[in-house]
Amino acid sequence: MTPKKQTFRFLALVLITALLYISISPVLAKVPTPNPSTSPTISSALQQGKTLYDSGQFAQAVQVLQQAAQNYRQQGDTKKLAATLSNLSLAYQQLGAWNQAKQAITESLNLLKSIDDRKILAQTLDIQGRLQLAMGQPEVALQTWQRSADIYNKINDQNGVVRSQINQAQALISSGFYRRAEATLLQVNQTLRSQTDSLEKAVMLRSLGDVLQLVGELQESHIVLEESLAVAKRLKSPNYIAASLFSLGNNARDRQQTQPAINFYQQTVKETLSPLLKVQAQLNLLSLLIEEQKPTAALTLVPQIQSQLNQLPPSRASVYAQINFAQNLVKLGHEKENSPHLPIAPTLREAACASTPHHLLSPAQILAKATQQARSLNDQRSLAYALGTLGSLYEQTRQWSEAQKLTEQALLLAQSSNAPDIAYKWQWQLGRLLKVQGDIPGAIAAYDLAVQTLESIRNDLVAVNREVQFSFRDSVEPVYRESVQLLLDTQQTQPEEKTLEKARQRIEALQIAELDNFFREACLQGQRILLDQVVDKENPTAAILYPIILPDQLQVIVKIPKQPLQHYSTQISQTEVEQIISQLRQNLVNPAAIKATRTQSQQVYNWLIKPIASQLSASGVNTLVFVLDGALRNLPMSSLYDGQQYLVEKYATALSIGLQLLDPKPLQRQQLQALTAGLTYPPQAYSDFAPLPAIKTEIELISETGISTTNLLDRQFTSKELEKKVNTTPFNVVHLATHGQFSSRAEQTFILAADGPINVTQFDTILRSRDEIRSEALQLLVLSACQTAVGDKRAALGLAGAAVRAGARSTIASLWQIDDESTAQFVGAFYRELKEANITKAEALRRAQLQLLKHPNYNAPGFWSTYVLIGNWL
């Protein structure tokens, strides 16, 4: 049997945005060809089991395969029994019956020890790997599939090798090793590219396209998925054609190409022979139409989807589809607004009889049906999701007791089913319910468990499709923020440093999760030192501030050298905070708006600095390190105004990604060697970017300070030449004088070279190639003409991401682009100050900014405050 696409391992997260993806799973092991003496009844039973499995009727497939296994056991046919048991294990897996699945696969492998049939052994190992992956053991699954690939190699079964390698890629993705998964599939691609068309080739290309999309290479993903579609069309395989169209729809949606995505989903519905894939495509289309605020078009899909859901045989996938449908209906407003009750018993009875496609069901009725179906399947995982989602409906109608009862049932099932991706949602939901009922200690404990669970699946959270990652703001970020608010609310009367420490660590965990989400992989690596240790010992003149934006207040936790943590708050809504920040950000780039800028920047100063201004002055602090949150990242802290002075006139400022610092050592001034690259005129395709004629002056000013430079200017500055210089030239400073853009999306964060944009992940790859041949760290990265993307509230995330992935100890970048003559002056002043001994990089930045502040043409904050330092300020 050829590889069959199934739902992603963490489909529960996918359901949050109602965007379904499909991914391959191991194949069913083939039962040996029956000999003439084999009972036709047994053979037909096996074929019936396979047919039932292929159609998604897993419960029925289990019954048939159990009977076949019993017959083979009675006959003493060990080989066929082993193969049947492995198939039975896979059917059990689809029902979430993990113990039975494990028991069946173990018995199969034990039987195969006495049989010399390596092909059945390899196929059985494929299925064992699927079980291990589903049970949260991707590393073990990877080893199992490597073993099966080795067996396939020895018996010269190249199709088997390919299937195992594709499965290995899935295990790598689940472990967070996305680039390794990509490399594995590229290797398979090389193997199959010269071969004739096959279903394995179509699956491989589709899997590769999905992985490329996962790592943010959307255009490359589109090209490969088109190849997959072409192969499937030449093979005239409707299901494989439909599967490729489905992936192309998801790709187009990710590229924000709404109409092509709609077209692909509609084509999937037209082409597929699979009722399940048809429903999945329509559900993705429904969620897209809702997202695009096209309720009329969305409503026309509702009866079609319900009708098709009613015709699906019971399976985990159909339960998930029903939950997905109910969530979309809630978004559409089908649930009666302000309804005082959602009684579960009547809803269940109504669901039992309201099964005709002509009877539109409410979300509660659909969830009740999903619950019934999950129970009938004995699928604990899907039952946990259905019950918890039903509990969320009770939560919305303020039926706290019923909501809590359902949530606790769902949580218990999720935990017993090894489903942490579902468990965290119900731990979070339970925390909300306990809080609203006044049980604050219980709520804190529930939130603590939710955060712990999220940390345990950190890699898995970023190993899912892009739409889920963008639901991060709805499904992950609030867990951290609400937890922090609960903790800080308890500190109003009796502050405890232990609780404050817990709160700021939780905010750091959120920031790390945001960056992982941005890059789709865990990105903070290496030996790191706690900031508190740095300010208490190595640099006792720096204070650390942690502003935290909460729904109804702005909290600030402060660490002053050699003092315990303290905190203070301002009662102000998140909406108002973000409005003031947005207005200030716009005024900062307008030299004529000095008065408005000072008024608004003083408001922010009053929130963040004023409550501890006297303490900072008395403690001898001269540097403020900010771990900024949310919209505050879009503001340069140096521009804050106290009514008489800007912050830059009193303090050096720096930004930190989190509570730890990588290699907190001062810069070695005598050994500075810079690799510089500049682009005066952008490529023709990027004519929206203005020329930068002062770039040559900027680079000359760096050389005049005595720093050794290797230069790439204009046509010399290409991605290939940059990579070549990175690998052949000694340097510890990289200075890029070119246009660039920071965005909340990694694929839209780039620097501009003569041959086009260098994406942030590509830039990371270029710099990492140096790490493999040189041990010297990159001390400083300067991005002197970049800017945050217009209209992107979270664009500074791209700046933080670029700083982290470059591997630089310190990064200096501009939040917005300014006059390039003033940029040249700033750069020259900064490098002159940097060469001075006994001052920090943060102080060098401050002094360069002050020179612009004192310049008659450049004294407006828009000129000097755009520059920020991220990372090591020493």
Side-chain angles (χ1 to χ4, degrees), residues 193-213:
R193 181 163 292 279
S194 59
Q195 296 182 12
T196 58
D197 290 339
S198 64
L199 294 179
E200 284 80 10
K201 189 172 185 178
V203 171
M204 180 279 301
L205 288 168
R206 189 169 67 242
S207 300
L208 177 58
D210 289 342
V211 169
L212 288 169
Q213 180 175 347

Side-chain angles (χ1 to χ4, degrees), residues 329-348:
L329 289 183
V330 170
K331 292 179 184 178
L332 269 175
H334 268 234
E335 193 62 73
K336 293 179 181 178
E337 295 185 7
N338 304 315
S339 172
H341 299 291
L342 274 174
I344 187 167
T347 300
L348 286 170

Side-chain angles (χ1 to χ4, degrees), residues 526-538:
Q527 191 72 27
R528 307 177 75 81
I529 305 298
L530 287 173
L531 291 184
D532 286 11
Q533 179 180 328
V534 178
V535 301
D536 280 340
K537 295 180 180 180
E538 286 90 349

Side-chain angles (χ1 to χ4, degrees), residues 556-567:
V556 184
I557 300 176
V558 178
K559 169 63 181 176
I560 295 176
K562 302 180 181 178
Q563 293 185 27
L565 293 175
Q566 55 184 298
H567 86 115

Side-chain angles (χ1 to χ4, degrees), residues 383-397:
L383 180 58
Y385 206 83
L387 285 172
T389 307
L390 190 56
S392 72
L393 285 181
Y394 278 91
E395 180 188 14
Q396 291 175 43
T397 56

Side-chain angles (χ1 to χ4, degrees), residues 188-245:
V188 179
N189 188 28
Q190 287 299 317
T191 302
L192 294 181
R193 181 163 292 279
S194 59
Q195 296 182 12
T196 58
D197 290 339
S198 64
L199 294 179
E200 284 80 10
K201 189 172 185 178
V203 171
M204 180 279 301
L205 288 168
R206 189 169 67 242
S207 300
L208 177 58
D210 289 342
V211 169
L212 288 169
Q213 180 175 347
L214 181 66
V215 299
E217 297 175 15
L218 300 182
Q219 186 57 39
E220 293 83 353
S221 166
H222 175 76
I223 293 170
V224 172
L225 290 173
E226 287 283 7
E227 290 182 41
S228 172
L229 177 61
V231 171
K233 284 183 174 178
R234 289 195 291 270
L235 293 171
K236 298 181 180 179
S237 171
N239 278 340
Y240 281 76
I241 291 170
S244 294
L245 288 168

Side-chain angles (χ1 to χ4, degrees), residues 39 152 199 208 274 338 375 454 469 628 642 680 805:
S39 166
Y152 283 128
L199 294 179
L208 177 58
S274 164
N338 304 315
R375 280 201 175 101
L454 280 171
Q469 294 189 6
L628 294 177
D642 67 2
T680 306
R805 287 300 289 266

